[in-house]
Amino acid sequence: MRQVDEEQAERLVNTYSDLILRLSYTYLHSAQDAEDICQTVFLKCLTSGQVFESRDHEKAWIIRTAVNACKDLLRSAHRQRTVGLELVAEPPAPEAPASYVLEAVMALPVKYRQVIYLYYYEGYSIRELTAILKRKESTLQTQLAAGRRKLKEELKKAGEIPQNWEREGK
């Protein structure tokens, strides 16, 4: 039985660790906290006794669990009363962002950032997101459209796209 648990744990880590880390980072903006969430999700998955109907069901459960763990951490009293060491000591030089678009996405409010990230970066359809995020399809479509508008405005302000840029066909 122990061998099966180790194999299951290894499969989960290999399959989902990047997804959980990236998703958690969008909420927490901290690599260390994202790593903690990743461990928490794997422990819950391995100890919950949850039986999954398919790989898609497993993936949706893992995403939902990661989102809930992030929200729990953000609401925790400990997090609200403490400051990370990285904020106390000034870094020697600012890190260059990996992508100006991703940086702009990360600056959006959570309700837009979450939908845009899962839709564009993880490739989920609106229909899949309704099951994962437990929201109505119309709500997600509205949040995606509003998030796109906000993202476009921010990119224009930053000079990353021309002021007169418009989508073709409009």
Side-chain angles (χ1 to χ4, degrees), residues 16-36:
Y16 299 113
S17 60
D18 286 341
L19 169 65
I20 296 168
L21 287 170
R22 289 191 311 263
L23 181 60
S24 299
Y25 189 82
T26 67
Y27 275 89
L28 306 171
H29 299 287
S30 165
Q32 293 83 6
D33 288 343
E35 289 169 357
D36 289 345

Side-chain angles (χ1 to χ4, degrees), residues 2-161:
R2 183 174 170 94
Q3 182 66 22
V4 173
D5 291 344
E6 287 177 17
E7 289 173 4
Q8 175 73 352
E10 188 173 331
R11 184 188 66 77
L12 288 171
V13 169
N14 290 336
T15 305
Y16 299 113
S17 60
D18 286 341
L19 169 65
I20 296 168
L21 287 170
R22 289 191 311 263
L23 181 60
S24 299
Y25 189 82
T26 67
Y27 275 89
L28 306 171
H29 299 287
S30 165
Q32 293 83 6
D33 288 343
E35 289 169 357
D36 289 345
I37 294 297
C38 196
Q39 286 181 345
T40 300
V41 170
F42 290 139
L43 283 173
K44 283 183 182 180
C45 187
L46 291 168
T47 60
S48 71
Q50 177 74 30
V51 178
F52 301 107
E53 299 165 9
S54 65
R55 294 287 181 185
D56 288 338
H57 179 226
E58 178 183 72
K59 189 174 185 179
W61 185 91
I62 285 175
I63 289 172
R64 185 80 240 151
T65 303
V67 167
N68 289 340
C70 289
K71 288 178 179 179
D72 290 346
L73 182 60
L74 289 171
R75 284 190 298 258
S76 73
H78 174 73
R79 173 139 176 134
Q80 293 174 0
R81 290 190 311 247
T82 60
V83 176
L85 290 176
E86 65 276 358
L87 296 177
V88 176
E90 251 184 73
E95 292 182 29
S99 161
Y100 65 89
V101 175
L102 183 58
E103 184 177 297
V105 169
M106 293 303 159
L108 292 172
V110 171
K111 67 181 181 179
Y112 304 126
R113 179 175 63 224
Q114 179 185 45
V115 174
I116 286 177
Y117 179 81
L118 290 172
Y119 185 81
Y120 287 106
Y121 288 88
E122 296 299 331
Y124 284 100
S125 69
I126 293 291
R127 177 163 285 155
E128 292 170 321
L129 290 175
T130 60
I132 292 170
L133 299 175
K134 307 284 191 239
R135 294 187 203 148
K136 293 180 182 178
E137 190 171 323
S138 60
T139 301
L140 290 174
Q141 289 172 336
T142 301
Q143 289 175 341
L144 189 58
R148 286 181 188 134
R149 282 193 302 276
K150 287 186 174 295
L151 184 59
K152 182 178 174 182
E153 290 170 13
E154 291 305 313
L155 292 174
K156 276 186 179 180
K157 284 182 198 174
E160 298 296 342
I161 58 176

